[in-house]
Amino acid sequence: MPGQHTLDETESQVATRLAGMDLDFEAMAVTANLFRAANAARNHMERTVLAKSNLTWTAFVVLWVAWIWESAETREIASEAGVSKATLSGVLTTLEGRGFVERKRGEKDGRLVTVELTASGKRLMKKLFPEFNKAERHVVRDISSAEQPVAADILRRITQAAN
Amino acid sequence: MPGQHTLDETESQVATRLAGMDLDFEAMAVTANLFRAANAARNHMERTVLAKSNLTWTAFVVLWVAWIWESAETREIASEAGVSKATLSGVLTTLEGRGFVERKRGEKDGRLVTVELTASGKRLMKKLFPEFNKAERHVVRDISSAEQPVAADILRRITQAAN
DNA sequence: CGCAGATAGTTCGGACCCGAACGATCTCAA
DNA sequence: TTGAGATCGTTCGGGTCCGAACTATCTGCG
């Protein structure tokens, strides 16, 4: 099966190829696996849960944030979802066109825009989120109950260090 | 500072809002923080290391894979970089246009395309990668040496479970 | 030998993604 | 009170990003 490298092969090739350079290989292994894991998990969610509702990952996250907070301002959705306000603007237009959210111009402060889920959007999340959570459970199924809080804590510290 | 939620606030709001539903909150915390961490780390790298070379994240990862493996076939680059072959095709066209890589049609098998870094591409990676590694070290600076291999291992298991 | 099926990379359409520039709105000090 | 500066969301241009359809090539069974 040419062209197919296992994770181990890749890491050993990296070690060989970069031998002698003054690098932090431990840090490299953590971040490389961080991106791989996030990517794999995201692809898995998109294919198993989101695709059948024709939702992209980002659109789902945006819906999720607005759902959790009942209603949310644009800039906090962008921050929670991890996208720029420029991106969010486009995604909101898409979601509004499909009838899942509504934009409301702030009354006190005319610069602000508040986002709320429509009835249709709420129905969608109520149906979708339990399935999404099942997929979450699936991707962490080989992490023991004891390790899961440790993992979450480590990831929180990485998030903080990168900000 | 309205509209700014801390990580703790978000997680407690989630717990309140979803109370009573049959959900795995531990799994949720792991994946939520996984995506947050990957996103934050990626944004940090893009801003501190990649932006000044005018490279996107994906373009850098593609260069990195071809660099590590000396030369690589398209489908393995796509797999390592975590993008579809359609995306890779576009990224390669961009990188080729900027003179960092060369496409070579396979001689034995006319369907295959091999990617190699040009001299300019190699120079770029030789300069950029140590800086990139410094940024990697930065984002894991609050994870102890003892924890780092544990973290890498947990992330590897998540990757496998999601595939 | 010949062609049905598998496989590789590209193209296409539509959606995301960002920084920069922009117009609208708010704030607060002179 | 009035503007200079801050802040908000949108727009714009260029670069990903993907699934599906497509072309080119290879493989192997008959």
Side-chain angles (χ1 to χ4, degrees), chain A residues 58-75:
Chain A
T58 303
F60 176 78
V61 174
V62 167
L63 284 175
W64 185 82
V65 174
W67 187 53
I68 290 296
W69 291 97
E70 305 279 350
S71 98
E73 290 169 13
T74 298
R75 68 190 184 292

Side-chain angles (χ1 to χ4, degrees), chain A residues 9 26 29 34 47 51 53 59 84-85 104-105 111 117 120 123 145 147:
Chain A
E9 280 171 348
E26 293 275 315
L34 172 63
R47 279 196 263 270
S53 294
S84 71
K85 56 186 184 166
K104 285 186 177 144
R105 183 59 68 169
R111 293 168 302 182
L117 262 61
S120 159
R123 265 197 308 277
S145 322
E147 285 174 315

Side-chain angles (χ1 to χ4, degrees), chain B residues 7-140:
Chain B
L7 254 168
D8 283 350
E9 281 171 348
T10 300
E11 293 193 0
S12 110
Q13 172 74 6
V14 166
T16 307
R17 184 78 177 76
L18 302 178
M21 298 180 74
D22 180 25
L23 299 170
D24 186 334
F25 286 88
E26 293 275 313
M28 207 164 97
V30 175
T31 58
N33 282 294
L34 171 64
F35 297 122
R36 263 195 276 267
N39 229 332
R42 175 178 162 154
N43 287 340
H44 182 258
M45 309 291 204
E46 283 182 331
R47 280 197 261 271
T48 60
V49 182
L50 270 29
K52 65 170 174 290
S53 294
N54 200 28
L55 277 179
T56 63
W57 173 263
T58 304
F60 176 78
V61 174
V62 167
L63 283 176
W64 184 81
V65 173
W67 187 53
I68 291 296
W69 291 96
E70 305 280 348
S71 98
E73 289 168 15
T74 298
R75 68 190 185 293
E76 63 185 330
I77 298 181
S79 161
E80 295 275 338
V83 297
S84 71
K85 56 186 185 165
T87 297
L88 179 60
S89 205
V91 174
L92 282 180
T93 301
T94 301
L95 287 174
E96 206 171 20
R98 296 180 57 190
F100 293 139
V101 301
E102 265 181 350
R103 273 191 251 229
K104 285 186 177 143
R105 184 59 68 169
E107 303 192 352
K108 266 178 46 191
D109 187 334
R111 294 168 302 181
L112 270 49
V113 167
T114 306
V115 178
E116 268 182 49
L117 263 61
T118 61
S120 159
K122 284 177 194 164
R123 264 197 309 276
L124 181 69
M125 287 307 286
K126 198 161 186 172
K127 180 180 77 73
L128 225 47
F129 191 71
E131 299 177 29
F132 188 83
N133 187 248
K134 275 204 183 64
E136 290 180 309
R137 182 189 293 238
H138 176 83
V139 302
V140 300

Side-chain angles (χ1 to χ4, degrees), chain A:
Chain A
M1 200 180 285
Q4 283 291 20
H5 302 299
T6 65
L7 253 168
D8 282 349
E9 280 171 348
T10 299
E11 293 193 0
S12 109
Q13 171 74 7
V14 166
T16 307
R17 183 77 177 77
L18 301 178
M21 298 180 74
D22 180 25
L23 299 170
D24 186 333
F25 286 88
E26 293 275 315
M28 206 163 96
V30 175
T31 58
N33 283 293
L34 172 63
F35 297 122
R36 263 194 278 266
N39 228 336
R42 175 178 162 154
N43 286 341
H44 182 259
M45 310 290 206
E46 283 181 331
R47 279 196 263 270
T48 60
V49 181
L50 270 28
K52 67 170 173 292
S53 294
N54 200 29
L55 277 180
T56 63
W57 172 263
T58 303
F60 176 78
V61 174
V62 167
L63 284 175
W64 185 82
V65 174
W67 187 53
I68 290 296
W69 291 97
E70 305 279 350
S71 98
E73 290 169 13
T74 298
R75 68 190 184 292
E76 63 186 329
I77 298 182
S79 161
E80 295 275 339
V83 298
S84 71
K85 56 186 184 166
T87 297
L88 179 60
S89 205
V91 174
L92 282 180
T93 301
T94 301
L95 287 175
E96 207 172 19
R98 295 180 59 190
F100 293 139
V101 300
E102 264 182 350
R103 273 191 251 229
K104 285 186 177 144
R105 183 59 68 169
E107 303 191 351
K108 264 178 49 193
D109 188 335
R111 293 168 302 182
L112 271 49
V113 167
T114 303
V115 178
E116 269 182 49
L117 262 61
T118 61
S120 159
K122 284 176 194 165
R123 265 197 308 277
L124 181 68
M125 287 308 285
K126 198 161 185 173
K127 181 180 76 73
L128 225 48
F129 191 70
E131 298 177 30
F132 188 83
N133 186 249
K134 274 206 183 65
E136 290 181 310
R137 184 190 293 240
H138 176 83
V139 302
V140 299
R141 73 181 189 277
D142 291 335
I143 318 300
S144 72
S145 322
E147 285 174 315
Q148 288 186 22
V150 175
D153 179 59
I154 288 176
L155 292 166
R156 265 189 288 265
R157 276 182 277 150
I158 292 177
T159 304
Q160 266 160 0
N163 284 326

